[in-house]
Amino acid sequence: MTLVVGLGCQRGCDVRTLLDLLDAALAEGGIERNRIAGLASIDLKRHEPAMLALAKELNLPLTCFSAGQLTAYEDRLSHKSDVAFIHTGCYGIAESAALALAEQLAGRPARLLITRKKTARATFALACAG
């Protein structure tokens, strides 16, 4: 089974915030870090220092998708954020990015295993395929 983490964050978010959110969500789901195949987000976050630092810390690739690619997953989101849409052009970055990467890696439909988890500065979701 392919497991992928989708992430979103505010500009200037620190890596500890992302790591704490990821670890808490994985622990709640009973999933070990080493089962994660990759990290995904929107292309607007491609150069975000916290995203790059997290990918390096976990030794995982970070794959970023355009808002247009992510809108294909709108009907599968557990939550649609008007604020996210205003800033990015899509209604849910973490969930849609996780679904997009899981399907890309596995070559088959994915589903959300952990729906959107949110802190004041970041969002997390976990998708699986296979």
Side-chain angles (χ1 to χ4, degrees):
M1 182 181 334
T2 301
L3 297 176
V4 171
V5 169
L7 296 164
C9 70
Q10 292 180 352
R11 184 176 295 119
C13 178
D14 64 281
V15 68
R16 174 59 41 201
T17 297
L18 290 177
L19 192 56
D20 288 349
L21 176 58
L22 179 138
D23 282 341
L26 292 180
E28 186 178 309
I31 298 164
E32 295 180 19
R33 269 194 204 172
N34 64 1
R35 295 193 52 212
I36 305 303
L39 305 174
S41 192
I42 193 167
D43 59 4
L44 298 171
K45 298 299 177 184
R46 174 175 280 123
H47 302 294
E48 186 67 36
M51 293 277 190
L52 298 172
L54 182 67
K56 184 176 181 178
E57 168 84 18
L58 299 177
N59 194 30
L60 289 171
L62 173 63
T63 303
C64 295
F65 297 92
S66 69
Q69 290 171 302
L70 297 180
T71 57
Y73 298 91
E74 275 180 18
D75 62 334
R76 296 163 59 189
L77 302 180
S78 71
H79 173 84
K80 291 186 182 177
S81 169
D82 291 330
V83 173
F85 186 81
I86 289 167
H87 292 288
T88 67
C90 73
Y91 284 102
I93 294 166
E95 289 185 344
S96 54
L99 289 166
L101 183 57
E103 289 186 0
Q104 179 179 297
L105 293 177
R108 61 182 64 115
R111 65 181 174 86
L112 292 169
L113 195 59
I114 300 176
T115 57
R116 177 180 175 259
K117 301 282 184 192
K118 184 180 184 315
T119 67
R121 303 212 40 150
T123 55
F124 166 99
L126 183 74
C128 66

